[in-house]
Amino acid sequence: MNSKKITQGLEKAPHRALLHALGLTREELNRPLIGVINAANEVVPGHIHLDQIAQAVKAGIRLAGGVPLEFPVIGVCDGIAMNHEGMRFSLPSRELIADSIEIMVTAHAFDGLVFIPNCDKIVPGMLMAMLRLNLPSLLISGGPMLAGKYKLQSVDLITVFEGVGKVRAGEMSEQELAQLEQKACPGCGSCSGMFTANSMNCLAEAIGLALPGNGTIPAISSERIHLAKKAGLRVMDLVRQNIRPRDILKRENIFNGVSVDMALGCSTNTVLHLPAIFNEAGLDLPLRVFDELSRKTPNLCKLSPAGHHHLEDLHLAGGIYAVMKELSKNNLLHLEAQTVSGQTVGEILEQVEVLDHNVIRPIDNPYSNEGGIAILYGNLAPEGAVVKQSAIDPSMLKRTGVAKVFDSEEEATKYLLDGKVKKGDIVVIRYEGPKGGPGMREMLTPTALITGLGLDKDVALLTDGRFSGGTRGAAIGHISPEAYEGGPIGLVQDGDKILIDIPNRKLDMLISEEELKKRQAQFKPVQKNISSPFLRRYQKQATSASQGARFVSN
């Protein structure tokens, strides 16, 4: 056992003395010590109930003869951090979460680990730490929030964001918006659509590092508590059998994860997180793999923001493995891939069926023959750009428009709120990438305003920043290289014509090569005054969005 480093031997008497101070008995010091990494806090709605999940996990560990020891990590609520300086810290927090877990686990010599996240960057941060440390481990999330109800309609956080635009457009009163904001998020859990948090919790299941049900069992359900106890029991099996995350996660799991991503229509943030996660296991996931699998994987689900279904509907329809069951009918999965459950994907699928084909389309009747995400290239995005094509009106899949350029999200938001946007505009927001932001902020406020104003079929938005999983419409992000590093997005000028051609994966400025070279010769990136020491460090160490925007050592 790894914990023998602190529990066994004459020279470890001082260590044992400190462990006895925790209330641990001699008998407990002879049992496996299991770290329970709990992201609970009183700030994030998806995390406010995680202490209850942790108690269930610890009960399962004790039932199986282990000794649970709990410790916390930080977490940013992207919704609360949206559209102000706090959003610069959201993506970088992923690296801090992984690093802080590495510190705690290495310093205290655990035998196994259970990770309890729920929202946004906490899930990928924990998965990165899991693979880096490579101790017997699994992840159990807090589960999705139920959808809200307003005027007999299902609503969620994105309904509120878009409601701001509707108020500006005169389609909703401020009083109605005030009523909506009290109904949209009815309780604990990760926001109820296929946004980033739920995307990552579902994909943790699909890649085999979480138990079946992890992504879709509602936060308020007793079934979620049952799953947490099973997680505690299961980690003890993994410890006894010495099965580690890198024993499970192979290239087959990567392909399964990306295929499920495409079938579900997940957040574009998965294109940042999955490469960063797999990198910790020494596995490469280039952008081209997302596009290759998207071209042959049908889109089977349209959950909010792409459609009106929510995670609770997906759960009742059979959950993630029911989606995988459909994919397996066209040989789109590696059924031999291992999972933390102890069963292969194929063995799990033998016990699964789709219970509602209105929520999970049959493989021969998909929403589209291609997956939810597309990767675009062209003279505006030589290293790639990312778009959630499943959440775009078909009329916007191919469009030429006129650039309206802004050097920050705030400038673009003011332009939209002032009602200056016109049909045919392509709003370009730059200097919001990993280095230029710094921090690669999400742009949910401007995209939701465009939708709320009723212009999602007429106005596109391009950025070297990123989007919330709740974004819909022609929103193209992760444009690489970013403006700060001399990318062509920094050369766009007001009035330039831009071609968006998603079916053919093209994103081009319609200017001559000669003009492009002239602008490049004169280009100087905008320099921002960065007061935060942490963000200055992130700016120096972050990779391109095309490589997952992760930290690298200089």
Side-chain angles (χ1 to χ4, degrees):
M1 294 193 302
N2 194 49
S3 60
K4 288 182 179 180
K5 296 175 184 177
I6 60 172
T7 62
Q8 306 298 318
L10 176 64
E11 72 281 11
K12 300 302 164 58
H15 304 65
R16 290 192 295 272
L18 291 167
L19 294 170
H20 287 316
L22 300 176
L24 298 182
T25 64
R26 286 183 178 273
E27 182 182 36
E28 286 175 305
L29 296 188
N30 290 323
R31 295 182 178 186
L33 302 183
I34 308 300
V36 177
I37 305 153
N38 181 7
N41 61 58
E42 295 182 351
V43 180
V44 184
H47 289 218
I48 197 167
H49 66 304
L50 293 189
D51 282 339
Q52 188 178 14
I53 303 297
Q55 291 302 319
V57 167
K58 291 191 286 187
I61 292 168
R62 292 189 184 103
L63 279 170
V67 179
L69 294 170
E70 181 183 338
F71 65 88
V73 294
I74 63 167
V76 173
C77 176
D78 278 13
I80 296 173
M82 198 73 66
N83 195 231
H84 64 89
E85 186 65 19
M87 181 48 72
R88 300 195 191 284
F89 291 84
S90 173
L91 183 58
S93 75
R94 184 188 70 183
E95 316 303 314
L96 281 184
I97 289 165
D99 292 348
S100 64
I101 294 170
E102 179 187 11
I103 290 168
M104 281 294 292
V105 171
T106 306
H108 301 107
F110 293 103
D111 297 303
L113 303 169
V114 179
F115 294 81
I116 308 175
N118 214 24
C119 293
D120 302 311
K121 310 309 159 291
I122 301 95
V123 184
M126 285 191 172
L127 289 170
M128 289 166 67
M130 181 193 295
L131 290 161
R132 184 185 304 176
L133 291 161
N134 201 35
L135 291 170
S137 306
L138 78 168
L139 181 143
I140 165 69
S141 77
M145 185 186 292
L146 295 179
K149 297 293 181 184
Y150 178 67
K151 295 184 176 180
L152 302 180
Q153 299 294 316
S154 292
V155 295
D156 53 40
L157 181 64
I158 305 310
T159 317
V160 184
F161 271 97
E162 294 177 357
V164 176
K166 288 184 177 181
V167 170
R168 286 294 188 185
E171 295 183 10
M172 176 182 283
S173 70
E174 289 191 41
Q175 183 180 10
E176 288 176 312
L177 181 60
Q179 293 171 351
L180 171 62
E181 69 188 52
Q182 295 183 60
K183 301 291 186 181
C185 301
C188 65
S190 48
C191 293
S192 57
M194 190 54 77
F195 315 142
T196 302
N198 288 326
S199 294
M200 292 309 304
N201 284 324
C202 290
L203 295 184
E205 193 176 329
I207 64 177
L209 297 181
L211 295 174
N214 179 74
T216 60
I217 296 173
I220 63 167
S221 172
S222 63
E223 193 179 352
R224 174 65 54 180
I225 301 300
H226 299 164
L227 188 69
K229 289 182 180 178
K230 289 178 183 177
L233 291 164
R234 182 59 192 157
V235 75
M236 293 302 298
D237 293 333
L238 297 172
V239 169
R240 293 188 182 103
Q241 298 168 38
N242 195 28
I243 298 173
R244 299 169 184 251
R246 290 188 213 167
D247 297 328
I248 294 168
L249 195 75
K250 303 297 182 184
R251 190 151 295 277
E252 292 78 12
N253 302 71
I254 292 178
F255 287 108
N256 285 353
V258 176
S259 296
V260 172
D261 187 348
M262 298 305 141
L264 289 173
C266 288
S267 165
T268 52
N269 280 317
T270 61
V271 180
L272 290 174
H273 298 323
L274 290 179
I277 291 164
F278 294 134
N279 179 73
E280 296 287 351
L283 298 169
D284 186 37
L285 178 54
L287 279 180
R288 61 173 176 77
V289 173
F290 285 92
D291 204 56
E292 288 170 2
L293 291 177
S294 181
R295 288 180 181 275
K296 65 180 182 180
T297 306
N299 178 214
L300 302 181
C301 300
K302 278 194 180 292
L303 286 84
S304 178
H308 63 275
H309 294 131
H310 290 85
L311 265 291
E312 63 203 76
D313 303 308
L314 181 58
H315 179 60
L316 292 173
I320 300 307
Y321 275 94
V323 176
M324 296 173 76
K325 182 87 167 188
E326 287 299 315
L327 293 178
S328 71
K329 294 177 182 178
N330 276 14
N331 298 316
L332 293 172
L333 294 177
H334 291 272
L335 301 183
E336 74 281 11
Q338 298 294 319
T339 74
V340 289
S341 72
Q343 296 180 296
T344 65
V345 168
E347 289 169 340
I348 295 172
L349 292 184
E350 290 175 4
Q351 309 159 44
V352 172
E353 61 178 316
V354 177
L355 302 177
D356 187 346
H357 276 300
N358 291 314
V359 178
I360 303 171
R361 285 282 188 92
I363 194 74
D364 57 0
N365 183 31
Y367 284 103
S368 65
N369 291 323
E370 290 191 358
I373 289 173
I375 309 299
L376 313 183
Y377 295 93
N379 66 10
L380 188 51
E383 293 178 8
V386 181
V387 63
K388 188 171 183 175
Q389 63 177 341
S390 60
I392 299 177
D393 187 86
S395 66
M396 289 295 288
L397 290 173
K398 189 170 183 177
R399 178 65 62 98
T400 298
V402 178
K404 185 62 182 176
V405 183
F406 304 93
D407 287 344
S408 72
E409 178 189 3
E410 287 82 359
E411 292 178 12
T413 298
K414 185 178 185 303
Y415 174 78
L416 293 166
L417 285 171
D418 288 346
K420 296 179 180 178
V421 65
K422 300 180 180 65
K423 291 184 178 181
D425 277 354
I426 294 184
V427 177
V428 178
I429 306 177
R430 59 195 182 192
Y431 296 102
E432 291 288 4
K435 292 180 179 291
M440 202 179 184
R441 289 192 289 179
E442 288 186 343
M443 305 287 160
L444 179 55
T445 296
T447 58
L449 282 172
I450 289 170
T451 300
L453 289 166
L455 294 171
D456 54 308
K457 297 178 183 179
D458 300 289
V459 174
L461 193 152
L462 313 182
T463 183
D464 52 9
R466 61 193 178 94
F467 296 114
S468 163
T471 288
R472 60 189 173 112
I476 299 170
H478 306 201
I479 292 176
S480 300
E482 60 177 291
Y484 182 83
E485 294 201 293
I489 189 173
L491 308 178
V492 182
Q493 297 179 2
D494 281 348
D496 285 346
K497 289 187 176 180
I498 294 175
L499 170 68
I500 299 170
D501 185 350
I502 293 170
N504 292 305
R505 305 301 199 257
K506 297 293 292 180
L507 185 62
D508 283 317
M509 287 187 286
L510 300 180
I511 63 174
S512 68
E513 188 68 25
E514 181 182 2
E515 174 64 16
L516 190 61
K517 288 180 179 178
K518 178 182 175 182
R519 294 184 190 182
Q520 286 172 332
Q522 299 171 347
F523 176 74
K524 290 183 179 179
V526 170
Q527 298 293 330
K528 298 178 181 178
N529 181 26
I530 306 166
S531 60
S532 166
F534 172 65
L535 289 179
R536 288 199 297 268
R537 187 164 78 250
Y538 183 80
Q539 186 179 62
K540 291 179 180 178
Q541 293 184 306
T543 65
S544 165
S546 63
Q547 299 172 19
R550 54 188 175 80
F551 271 172
V552 291
S553 299
N554 292 333

